[in-house]
Amino acid sequence: MILVKTRNLLKCYPMGLRKLTALKDINLEFQRGEFCGLIGPSGSGKTTLLNIIGSLDVPSQGSVTVLDKKIEELSHVEAARLRRNHIGFIFQTYNLLLLYTAYENVEFPLLLIEMPEAKRKKKVMDALDWLGIADKADSRPAQLSGGESQRVAVARAIVKLPQLVLADEPTANLDAENSFNILEMMVKLNREINTTFIFATHDEKVIRYLRRKIHLVDGQVVKDEIVNQERGNPCRH
Amino acid sequence: MIRFLLKGLIRDRSRSLSPVLIVAAGAFLCVFLYGWIKGAMDDLISSTARFDTGHVKIMTRAYNNLSDQMPNDLALLGVGKLMDDLRASEKGITWMPRIRFGGLLDIPDEKGETREQAPVAGLAVDLLGPDSPEPEILNLKNALVRGKLFQKAGDILISEAFAHRLGVKIGETATLIGSTMNGGLAMHNFTVAGTVRFGIAALDRGAVIADIEDVRFALDMADGAGEIVGYSKEMHYDNNAMTALTKQFNKRFEQDKDEFAPIMLSLVDQYGLREYLDLANTFGAIIVTIFVMAMSIVLWNSGLMNGLRRYGEIGVRLALGEPKGTIYRRMILESIITGFIGSLLGTLAGLAITYYLQYVGIDFGNLMQKSTILMSNVIRTRVTGWSYVIGFIPGLGASVIGTMFAGIGIYRRQTSQLFKELEA
Ligand SMILES: Nc1ncnc2c1ncn2[C@@H]1O[C@H](COP(=O)(O)OP(=O)(O)OP(=O)(O)O)[C@@H](O)[C@H]1O
Ligand SMILES: [Mg+2]
């Protein structure tokens, strides 16, 4: 089942009189359950592509279909509904809501989909448990370490069990140990409930986990490789 | 969800406490300034009201037509009964009879011959009545320069400058030479009890203040009075109330064709004070408007800054799937809450101090020269209906509008852009 599909995707940004082409001729398909990544140097367009797939941005030309919805045709409200119901985001800088506790941060996506309280509570605790941070439920982001913060962010992204998780440099601010933990959990989630993950990264630690690597250079796909399952299954040295 | 948002609002002091305080301060200043200006405007007319026009004044029609000549031959008679009627029917008003009179004041030497003589403008009021409010209305205690206030019949107060010119000393005799109500010659001896200075040129030039009973006797005006003045109990001129009172009173005598029938005039019906008051009101309104606008800009700005500061948080909420419209409405709701609470607190504080200064006032009498005694030695504010709402204009209106403008950025920017600002 195809979850995401891009057709001749072009993204330009106005740069004074000229235009800056951030993405060009992107034709990609992502299957349900993939664990893949956009890899490329800084400025190659990874974030831009992830944002468009996540309906935070729109293509300049071409078409992007996510869960049978054409991103370029969605209204604000429809795009918000798509994100709310089916997409989880993880960011390099965690982007937790600073005023709220870990528990409340994870609860927020469920409030948005108006899940009843009892069910909500259970889901939030499950997610926190699952990421091993249940004891930090009442801590505010300022009281959490980077690794803990990112785990809260992951819990927030997956608590509603979205079809698609988009992770933009999720490990850039983490040490090897924490990166490893986070990635292991994502792999587990991918395996257990078939959540699709698309990363944007240039972090070797992440790249080793990917089962598909899409190389971007200057906004274009230069290589799209499927990694052999046996060989690609990494282990910690 | 609302509970969730309120939690954030309360936890973020810069979003709750500080806007509330800023808004409260702005609203407070507006309410207070408005009250101050209103009070100052009251003050402008208050000495006129005290010495001359009253809040309302009753005269005969004939007297009214020639009132600048102090035509006591046209004065009201049967004043005792009229006063009783008025006191019974208009309990909220203090009614006082007065006589204005002109004539010569003659200072005799020890042989009884004229030593000095000068024309005077006299005001006769009830000074010896047991609880006459007149000494207070005329602010005599503060105006006294030398000597004593009234103690007995036959006493007069004369203005200090006038006393100087005549070379008259406290305790000396002064003879009033004038005409009686019936046109006869009137001569009456008074004792100079004290001298006064009001800081009002017209009065200080050559005024005599006498007790009304003495003057009635001197001018043969038994049970008469040139005018009856009325003051509201709080000594505040309320134009609507006084206009209504005037209309109602005059209606009673509408059919009466007698030129000696009484007529009531409100303060603004006299001496073109209506135009003056309108002008003062306009200026007051302009000053308040400018201030409210300035305050609005400040609060709008703080609303705006508050909104801009939150683009990052808004970016996250958008990414998590909260629609732009919802976020925008919730932001505005928040600023309505803080704006309302702030305006309410500011207005309450403003009203409290305005009310306090309305009734108590700050007395600068000791700091000021006696010459300005009647103008504004006591600073008084005034609460009106507007006092209750004026703080909400900048407090609620402007801060919400500021937030609305800040929030427009949510729509104008690409969602991903909001996000970049957050990551930066
Ligand atoms: N809002 C924008 N306006 C103008 N140019 C932009 C904007 N966003 C991105 N770009 C440009 O588009 C190109 C791709 O940016 P993008 O953020 O997708 O790169 P990236 O691959 O994510 O890089 P990094 O690894 O540094 O995060 C860059 O040249 C960038 O300068
Ligand atoms: Mg990037």
Side-chain angles (χ1 to χ4, degrees):
Chain A
M1 183 200 164
I2 296 171
L3 208 66
V4 178
K5 181 173 174 179
T6 71
R7 295 291 303 158
N8 302 325
L9 167 61
L10 177 81
K11 179 69 185 179
C12 304
Y13 290 110
M15 282 276 284
L17 291 177
R18 293 181 301 114
K19 277 183 178 171
L20 184 137
T21 306
L23 293 171
K24 198 177 158 196
D25 291 332
I26 307 287
N27 287 290
L28 290 169
E29 287 181 2
F30 296 90
Q31 302 289 332
R32 178 141 197 231
E34 282 206 52
F35 198 85
C36 62
L38 309 169
I39 303 168
S42 184
S44 56
K46 305 183 294 290
T47 299
T48 306
L49 180 53
L50 223 49
N51 281 345
I52 293 175
I53 293 172
S55 80
L56 292 174
D57 211 341
V58 286
S60 304
Q61 272 175 39
S63 170
V64 176
T65 312
V66 177
L67 289 159
D68 300 325
K69 302 221 164 39
K70 283 194 183 332
I71 295 293
E72 64 275 14
E73 290 170 2
L74 295 182
S75 67
H76 283 321
V77 176
E78 290 163 334
R81 187 182 305 132
L82 176 69
R83 291 195 294 272
R84 188 161 69 227
N85 292 324
H86 302 297
I87 302 177
F89 286 91
I90 300 167
F91 310 95
Q92 174 177 344
T93 50
Y94 325 134
N95 287 342
L96 298 177
L97 297 168
L98 298 178
L99 297 170
Y100 297 95
T101 62
Y103 180 93
E104 288 161 346
N105 264 281
V106 179
E107 185 186 25
F108 187 72
L110 302 183
L111 286 169
L112 288 178
I113 55 175
E114 292 172 11
M115 184 179 284
E117 176 153 12
K119 194 170 164 202
R120 203 168 67 218
K121 217 167 191 165
K122 179 165 187 324
K123 285 238 174 198
V124 174
M125 283 323 291
D126 284 352
L128 289 172
D129 260 339
W130 209 77
L131 283 144
I133 42 171
D135 55 329
K136 299 286 178 192
D138 293 327
S139 303
R140 299 251 197 114
Q143 301 159 330
L144 297 174
S145 73
E148 288 162 349
S149 295
Q150 195 60 302
R151 279 193 259 174
V152 174
V154 173
R156 182 177 69 181
I158 55 114
V159 67
K160 63 191 175 195
L161 303 179
Q163 308 246 24
L164 179 61
V165 172
L166 303 172
D168 194 352
E169 321 249 14
T171 56
N173 288 332
L174 300 181
D175 59 18
E177 173 89 19
N178 276 306
S179 300
F180 172 79
N181 283 332
I182 293 272
L183 282 161
E184 281 296 321
M185 290 186 211
M186 291 182 179
V187 170
K188 198 168 133 207
L189 198 70
N190 172 257
R191 209 163 35 221
E192 288 180 8
I193 53 173
N194 212 21
T195 305
T196 309
F197 280 82
I198 305 177
F199 292 83
T201 189
H202 41 215
D203 182 352
E204 268 309 317
K205 299 190 289 292
V206 177
I207 294 171
R208 272 189 277 120
Y209 278 85
L210 301 176
R211 293 202 302 272
R212 178 185 174 193
K213 303 175 188 174
I214 299 158
H215 296 264
L216 286 179
V217 173
D218 286 340
Q220 284 181 286
V221 177
V222 293
K223 199 159 123 197
D224 185 352
E225 52 173 339
I226 308 282
V227 180
N228 182 302
Q229 285 287 303
E230 272 77 24
R231 196 163 52 82
N233 208 6
C235 56
R236 221 175 152 203
H237 28 212
Chain B
M1 189 69 195
I2 295 299
R3 190 144 47 97
F4 186 87
L5 295 170
L6 281 179
K7 249 187 247 169
L9 183 61
I10 289 163
R11 285 178 195 167
D12 186 355
R13 294 254 169 96
S14 66
R15 235 162 83 204
S16 50
L17 190 65
S18 51
V20 163
L21 290 180
I22 292 170
V23 167
F28 169 81
L29 287 174
C30 286
V31 172
F32 182 67
L33 180 84
Y34 177 76
W36 182 293
I37 285 185
K38 278 283 165 199
M41 273 166 35
D42 277 8
D43 210 63
L44 286 177
I45 54 170
S46 102
S47 50
T48 313
R50 284 163 190 274
F51 283 94
D52 192 338
T53 60
H55 293 158
V56 290
K57 186 194 274 188
I58 300 170
M59 295 163 283
T60 66
R61 291 173 188 173
Y63 187 100
N64 178 37
N65 290 336
L66 299 170
S67 65
D68 48 339
Q69 297 171 19
M70 298 178 279
N72 279 328
D73 50 330
L74 307 175
L76 290 161
L77 288 174
V79 169
K81 175 162 186 321
L82 188 51
M83 293 280 297
D84 288 344
D85 285 355
L86 288 167
R87 281 177 178 146
S89 64
E90 300 299 336
K91 292 208 167 52
I93 309 278
T94 306
W95 298 102
M96 301 304 303
R98 286 181 178 178
I99 297 172
R100 300 182 171 279
F101 56 93
L104 289 171
L105 199 65
D106 185 288
I107 312 297
D109 58 19
E110 55 274 17
K111 287 187 224 112
E113 304 286 317
T114 297
R115 189 176 83 208
E116 284 289 344
Q117 208 178 51
V120 288
L123 178 63
V125 300
D126 178 9
L127 289 168
L128 295 171
D131 7 71
S132 167
E134 290 281 25
E136 196 176 318
I137 291 174
L138 299 179
N139 206 5
L140 289 180
K141 214 194 267 167
N142 286 328
L144 189 70
V145 180
R146 289 187 285 148
K148 296 202 176 82
L149 291 184
F150 280 75
Q151 280 165 331
K152 56 183 195 307
D155 279 353
I156 52 167
L157 297 172
I158 69 177
S159 64
E160 168 71 10
F162 191 48
H164 231 79
R165 191 143 51 86
L166 293 175
V168 64
K169 295 188 194 65
I170 306 298
E172 283 190 324
T173 300
T175 308
L176 173 72
I177 304 169
S179 60
T180 67
M181 194 175 174
N182 313 311
L185 180 70
M187 273 181 54
H188 191 84
N189 285 339
F190 290 98
T191 310
V192 177
T195 64
V196 286
R197 179 160 41 198
F198 295 109
I200 297 171
L203 286 170
D204 287 342
R205 220 175 299 128
V208 168
I209 294 177
D211 181 61
I212 193 163
E213 288 309 328
D214 290 340
V215 173
R216 276 176 172 159
F217 179 73
L219 303 185
D220 210 2
M221 290 176 70
D223 204 22
E227 50 201 47
I228 295 170
V229 285
Y231 296 96
S232 71
K233 287 271 194 285
E234 318 82 65
M235 283 309 284
H236 167 243
Y237 178 68
D238 177 345
N239 194 32
N240 292 338
M242 294 305 144
T243 304
L245 177 64
T246 305
K247 257 204 197 112
Q248 187 198 336
F249 181 87
N250 290 335
K251 206 163 184 162
R252 268 164 53 195
F253 298 94
E254 217 168 32
Q255 307 303 329
D256 200 335
K257 293 285 175 273
D258 188 354
E259 65 168 342
F260 290 102
I263 179 170
M264 187 187 282
L265 300 182
S266 70
L267 182 145
V268 298
D269 294 331
Q270 302 171 56
Y271 306 121
L273 281 175
R274 186 184 302 280
E275 287 73 21
Y276 176 75
L277 208 64
D278 284 350
L279 200 68
N281 268 322
T282 309
F283 274 120
I286 289 171
I287 293 171
V288 169
T289 306
I290 290 172
F291 186 76
V292 168
M293 269 163 48
M295 219 53 238
S296 296
I297 291 169
V298 169
L299 294 184
W300 162 350
N301 236 312
S302 88
L304 196 66
M305 293 314 293
N306 237 320
L308 293 178
R309 220 169 39 78
R310 296 179 57 199
Y311 276 6
E313 174 208 334
I314 288 163
V316 179
R317 284 164 60 177
L318 285 171
L320 294 175
E322 193 173 355
K324 287 185 175 186
T326 314
I327 294 182
Y328 189 57
R329 279 193 299 277
R330 284 172 179 162
M331 257 175 87
I332 288 168
L333 183 70
E334 255 182 40
S335 75
I336 290 175
I337 294 172
T338 53
F340 182 79
I341 295 175
S343 302
L344 195 69
L345 292 178
T347 300
L348 287 177
L351 283 175
I353 189 149
T354 310
Y355 263 119
Y356 177 77
L357 290 182
Q358 175 173 327
Y359 291 116
V360 180
I362 303 177
D363 193 344
F364 287 113
N366 298 337
L367 302 176
M368 288 198 179
Q369 292 299 312
K370 284 236 168 185
S371 62
T372 54
I373 226 163
L374 274 167
M375 294 311 284
S376 48
N377 60 330
V378 177
I379 293 192
R380 278 184 196 280
T381 51
R382 168 135 299 274
V383 175
T384 73
W386 269 99
S387 302
Y388 289 81
V389 290
I390 199 157
F392 284 82
I393 296 172
L396 186 56
S399 55
V400 171
I401 290 172
T403 309
M404 283 174 156
F405 273 93
I408 288 174
I410 300 175
Y411 282 100
R412 293 251 308 273
R413 277 161 222 241
Q414 262 312 321
T415 306
S416 59
Q417 195 56 38
L418 283 168
F419 230 56
K420 286 231 171 67
E421 281 165 40
L422 161 93
E423 307 229 295

